[in-house]
Amino acid sequence: MNGQTEISIVERLNIDDTPRGEKKYYFLKLISDGFSSYISVPVMVARGEKKGPVLGVTAAVHGNELNGIPVIQRLFNEVDASELTGTIVGIPVVNVPAFNRKKRRFNDGVDLNHIMPGKIDGNISQVYAYRFMQRIVTQFDYLLDLHTASSGRINSYYVRADMEKPVVRKMALLQNPDIIVHNPPSDGTLRGAADDLDIPAITLEVGNPSTFQKKLIRSGVEGIHNVLCHLKMIDDEIIKIERKTVMCQSSKWIYTDVGGLLTIQVELRQMVKKGEKIAEIRNIFGSKIKEYFAPEDGIVIGKSVSPVNQTGGRILHLGIIK
Ligand SMILES: [Zn+2]
């Protein structure tokens, strides 16, 4: 796509707007601001020559989680619509007001990924979520929702998925991630709202916030490529990676119970044993005031990289293998 590419303005996603065998780009008007100006979501559609499933790929539901944006751009760059079966719909930024403010939350302070599927006559974030679901997501047959860690934290490349659902399980395994956490969708997430509509969905946690990470972007594109192969939307081979995926039955965050300066002594993807030291806290004068130990065996999915810590700060996200 170059600067000359035409971008159409629409009010809802209508797959038929894109001719078969072509890619089209849209701004979809969702809500309006105090100037009565529209706040529009970018929509990318690659419509295949042949009929088939609609795969939705969404990014930046949290406005500062950026790695998914180049994943979608690169996917659209690489896919040949004339060779495609079915349709790929890419939403590089779901949460437009938050993206512009480089923040996680919507402009009323609400986390969009806690209020899906929104409310027809609610407040601004609820209506935004509702219209996003109604005008776009309801047309998906499958959903891949791309996230990253939150500010001040880093993540491995991991997938959250309901591994008891065979289709969802397959979509998760095809990503070749470092870690898969079995996680039935909780209320309010985009993944959960899609699941309620019987749209198989997984969440991909693609690295760190507020940046583009080349290697992980490549991994994200490969994972989507594999789903396209599996759904027979493209005629290509599934990419197998040497990486061994660690399967977790659940996961939990470990929090501090005192404030101070936090240092964490384990790395991403490191296996830890119950009782192993994982972190310590020093006061502002440099004296150690607390040590933390792994509550059970597990793997480090994500961790804090922000030393300043108050009581109740997050230390690390531990995947429980069992
Ligand atoms: Zn997120």
Side-chain angles (χ1 to χ4, degrees), residues 61-62 65 104 113 146-150 205:
V61 172
H62 295 127
E65 301 184 358
R104 175 182 178 82
N113 215 30
L146 308 178
H147 286 251
T148 73
S150 301
E205 295 282 350

Side-chain angles (χ1 to χ4, degrees), residues 220-234:
V221 176
E222 286 173 359
I224 299 169
H225 166 97
N226 284 352
V227 171
L228 290 170
C229 293
H230 175 69
L231 296 174
K232 302 203 162 29
M233 293 176 70
I234 58 173

Side-chain angles (χ1 to χ4, degrees), residues 11-13 28-31 41 61 94-95 106 108 110-139 188-190 193-194 197:
E11 290 193 354
R12 59 169 47 244
L13 170 64
L28 188 150
K29 299 192 278 193
L30 266 197
I31 57 167
V41 173
V61 172
V94 173
N95 191 342
F106 202 75
D108 60 356
V110 168
D111 186 331
L112 271 194
N113 215 30
H114 286 168
I115 60 161
M116 294 288 179
K119 212 173 153 197
I120 191 169
D121 54 358
N123 60 36
I124 186 168
S125 48
Q126 289 170 326
V127 172
Y128 189 93
Y130 180 82
R131 292 183 184 173
F132 182 79
M133 290 298 300
Q134 294 301 316
R135 296 180 187 184
I136 300 174
V137 177
T138 48
Q139 298 181 59
T189 61
L190 176 54
L197 297 170

Side-chain angles (χ1 to χ4, degrees), residues 57-200:
V57 188
T58 50
V61 172
H62 295 127
N64 62 341
E65 301 184 358
L66 305 181
N67 276 331
I69 299 169
V71 168
I72 293 173
Q73 290 172 343
R74 204 175 299 182
L75 174 72
F76 272 75
N77 217 4
E78 290 179 9
V79 83
D80 180 350
S82 67
E83 301 268 299
L84 182 69
T85 298
T87 302
I88 307 170
V89 178
I91 313 292
V93 177
V94 173
N95 191 342
V96 173
F99 169 80
N100 281 318
R101 292 160 57 244
K102 305 186 184 187
K103 297 277 194 262
R104 175 182 178 82
R105 290 163 182 264
F106 202 75
N107 61 14
D108 60 356
V110 168
D111 186 331
L112 271 194
N113 215 30
H114 286 168
I115 60 161
M116 294 288 179
K119 212 173 153 197
I120 191 169
D121 54 358
N123 60 36
I124 186 168
S125 48
Q126 289 170 326
V127 172
Y128 189 93
Y130 180 82
R131 292 183 184 173
F132 182 79
M133 290 298 300
Q134 294 301 316
R135 296 180 187 184
I136 300 174
V137 177
T138 48
Q139 298 181 59
F140 296 166
D141 294 314
Y142 301 90
L143 170 65
L144 306 172
D145 188 27
L146 308 178
H147 286 251
T148 73
S150 301
S151 284
R153 306 204 280 269
I154 56 174
N155 268 354
S156 55
Y157 178 43
Y158 86 99
V159 169
R160 304 163 72 80
D162 185 347
M163 296 299 275
E164 280 165 8
K165 295 193 167 165
V167 179
V168 173
R169 179 186 177 85
K170 186 70 194 173
M171 284 164 65
L173 291 169
L174 286 167
Q175 304 305 313
N176 294 321
D178 294 321
I179 299 166
I180 295 176
V181 179
H182 169 57
N183 178 260
S186 46
D187 290 345
T189 61
L190 176 54
R191 176 167 66 103
D195 187 77
D196 288 342
L197 297 170
D198 285 326
I199 301 167

